Amino acid sequence: MAYHVAQDIREARTLPATYYRDVQALHHLRETVFLKAWHYVGFEQQCPQPGSLHPLVLMPGFLDEALFLSRNTDGQLFLLSNVCTHRGSILVREPCRAREVVCPYHGRRFSLDGSLLSMPLFQEAKNFPGATDNLARLPLERLGPLLFSSLASECSFRQVMGPLLDRMAWWPWEQLQPRPDLSVVYQVKAHWALYVENYLEGFHIPFVHKGLHSALDFGQYSVEILDHMVLQTAPARKAEEGFQELPSDERGQRPAAFYFWVFPHIMFNFYPWGLSLNVVVPQTIDFTLVYYYTFVNRPERLGQGAGAELHRVELEDQAIVEMVQKGIRSRLYQSGRYSPTMETGTHYFHRLLALYSQSKLNGDHT
Ligand code: FES
Ligand SMILES: [Fe+2]
């Protein structure tokens, strides 16, 4: 089913409640949007040495693509399919070091860059080996230690991330240290789009986040619509809790945080202590996982300002989003209206969802 959200926010109605109950719409979006998106796949230090192998699953429970990072003897990093090209066994089951990758099923051997080396008892096979006997290799892009890839991108990483990279050109990506000890996954009993649309407006901050509200100058909260991206920011109430790397404005204020959302499912939250990368992974129409990956460059600033107590803010958001999940089941609620000043980010997100609900699907994977 195709959805429509009017372009003029002053007269637009929100996505109808039926959207959040539409299983087909979620499957359609998985194949038309998520499959082509750029994804966070891990960080450089997960493959520290020549011969390091690190298995991962891309968007577990949704895209479920088995991959692994591999560093060859020259130190070059590859992202490869973790599925054997013979009969589909998983190859690498846990992080390890190896000289080559050997399939546990029938012994097919691959080099660390994914090329087929040998296969027992295939001497009589014709046209073997061919290109499809090598492991599929995916593109790998870096922002400091963070690694990104796509299964079927139609746009380059630079195109997708351009507005963020331009605005954050001053950001010291290379200084970020991965902190798995501060990383966490949240379970949200709600449709993934309810989670994202809540993220895209600061309208609820005074009502839902009393602590965060006291750290931000809410009167100066700004939302900027970029290409398939939204940037929200606000100055810190106390200038010393903002980014010291940036000049203060005419009021003597400094930004408290930069909240970038990249369509459809990644949030880059920049704080004076570092980066909280949030990845939203739909599971079903009413259940979503949200991964928080933490990277720190100034540990002495952890626990200060808008980037303090992220766990509490997350739980406050989840509680409200789970209430909306109950609300959209009502037969008496169909859709709502937008605040033309406070909900431009949510309106843009709904417009994109409506737009992509009309896009053509190649093949039927639903
Ligand atoms: S599935 Fe890998 S060798 Fe058979
Ligand atoms: Fe919130």
Side-chain angles (χ1 to χ4, degrees):
M1 175 173 172
Y3 294 85
H4 179 73
V5 173
Q7 186 171 8
D8 185 346
I9 192 171
R10 295 168 306 171
E11 50 190 33
R13 296 200 68 85
T14 63
L15 275 176
T18 48
Y19 182 81
Y20 306 95
R21 302 196 288 261
D22 187 339
V23 178
Q24 293 305 318
L26 181 59
H27 290 176
H28 180 267
L29 204 65
R30 186 185 64 204
E31 301 304 320
T32 54
V33 171
F34 281 89
L35 191 64
K36 297 172 186 169
W38 282 88
H39 297 276
Y40 170 72
V41 293
F43 54 88
E44 189 92 35
Q45 293 88 334
Q46 284 171 320
C47 255
Q49 293 155 322
S52 293
L53 305 177
H54 184 88
L56 63 114
V57 175
L58 191 63
M59 298 214 95
F62 194 51
L63 290 178
D64 267 330
E65 191 66 41
L67 304 171
F68 70 101
L69 290 164
S70 167
R71 197 180 290 280
N72 72 3
T73 43
D74 297 336
Q76 215 183 335
L77 194 61
F78 297 92
L79 180 62
L80 303 169
S81 170
N82 198 9
V83 176
C84 179
T85 50
H86 176 222
R87 292 215 341 257
S89 171
I90 295 294
L91 294 164
V92 182
R93 287 171 285 185
E94 54 194 31
C96 58
R97 277 190 81 186
R99 292 213 173 115
E100 55 190 38
V101 178
V102 183
C103 179
Y105 199 175
H106 313 96
R108 183 169 285 209
R109 293 167 54 242
F110 302 91
S111 69
L112 297 174
D113 67 5
S115 358
L116 180 98
L117 290 173
S118 70
M119 175 75 192
L121 302 174
F122 259 55
Q123 290 83 346
E124 290 168 39
K126 292 187 178 168
N127 303 322
F128 179 85
T132 57
D133 294 302
N134 299 323
L135 297 177
R137 193 187 289 176
L138 295 183
L140 206 46
E141 297 281 352
R142 288 173 173 79
L143 290 175
L146 289 78
L147 304 171
F148 297 86
S149 188
S150 176
L151 289 171
S153 63
E154 288 177 348
C155 298
S156 72
F157 186 64
R158 175 67 219 182
Q159 273 175 306
V160 169
M161 294 292 291
L164 183 155
L165 297 178
D166 291 346
R167 278 173 176 68
M168 299 304 288
W170 59 276
W171 180 254
W173 292 99
E174 299 300 331
Q175 292 172 19
L176 290 177
Q177 292 296 325
R179 289 290 298 268
D181 56 313
L182 300 178
S183 300
V184 62
V185 53
Y186 291 101
Q187 304 188 358
V188 187
K189 295 188 206 70
H191 192 284
W192 78 279
L194 292 178
Y195 183 89
V196 172
E197 67 186 52
N198 170 70
Y199 176 91
L200 288 172
E201 47 94 352
F203 196 10
H204 67 274
I205 291 176
F207 303 98
V208 176
H209 306 302
K210 299 280 190 287
L212 178 60
H213 189 221
S214 66
L216 293 175
D217 183 353
F218 186 69
Q220 306 294 319
Y221 198 88
S222 80
V223 183
E224 197 177 341
I225 308 298
L226 303 163
D227 185 8
H228 288 68
M229 189 183 282
V230 171
L231 166 59
Q232 301 172 84
T233 186
R237 271 193 213 271
K238 299 182 196 149
E240 67 272 19
E241 290 186 347
F243 287 95
Q244 299 306 309
E245 299 88 336
L246 296 175
S248 54
D249 62 15
E250 61 284 1
R251 291 188 180 80
Q253 292 182 312
R254 290 193 158 93
F258 295 96
Y259 305 105
F260 282 90
W261 163 76
V262 181
F263 180 76
H265 68 307
I266 306 187
M267 291 89 158
F268 291 78
N269 305 299
F270 296 91
Y271 299 111
W273 54 256
L275 170 70
S276 173
L277 182 80
N278 305 164
V279 180
V280 180
V281 184
Q283 300 292 296
T284 61
I285 49 163
D286 55 5
F287 187 54
T288 301
L289 297 180
V290 182
Y291 292 80
Y292 270 50
Y293 300 105
T294 304
F295 298 87
V296 177
N297 63 331
R298 291 183 184 271
E300 72 281 5
R301 303 210 63 188
L302 276 165
Q304 292 177 12
E309 299 193 281
L310 295 186
H311 178 66
R312 191 176 80 189
V313 173
E314 172 63 26
L315 295 185
E316 290 166 349
D317 278 322
Q318 281 183 29
I320 205 81
V321 166
E322 290 177 357
M323 283 215 290
V324 179
Q325 178 67 37
K326 291 190 179 125
I328 52 101
R329 291 191 195 117
S330 165
R331 284 163 186 79
L332 303 176
Y333 173 85
Q334 269 100 44
S335 72
R337 297 288 305 275
Y338 300 97
S339 158
T341 51
M342 298 303 294
E343 293 179 293
T344 51
T346 297
H347 173 248
Y348 182 53
F349 175 52
H350 285 177
R351 290 264 305 154
L352 289 173
L353 290 182
L355 181 75
Y356 284 97
S357 74
Q358 298 160 22
S359 63
K360 290 263 182 301
L361 191 63
N362 303 328
D364 186 17
H365 298 274
T366 58

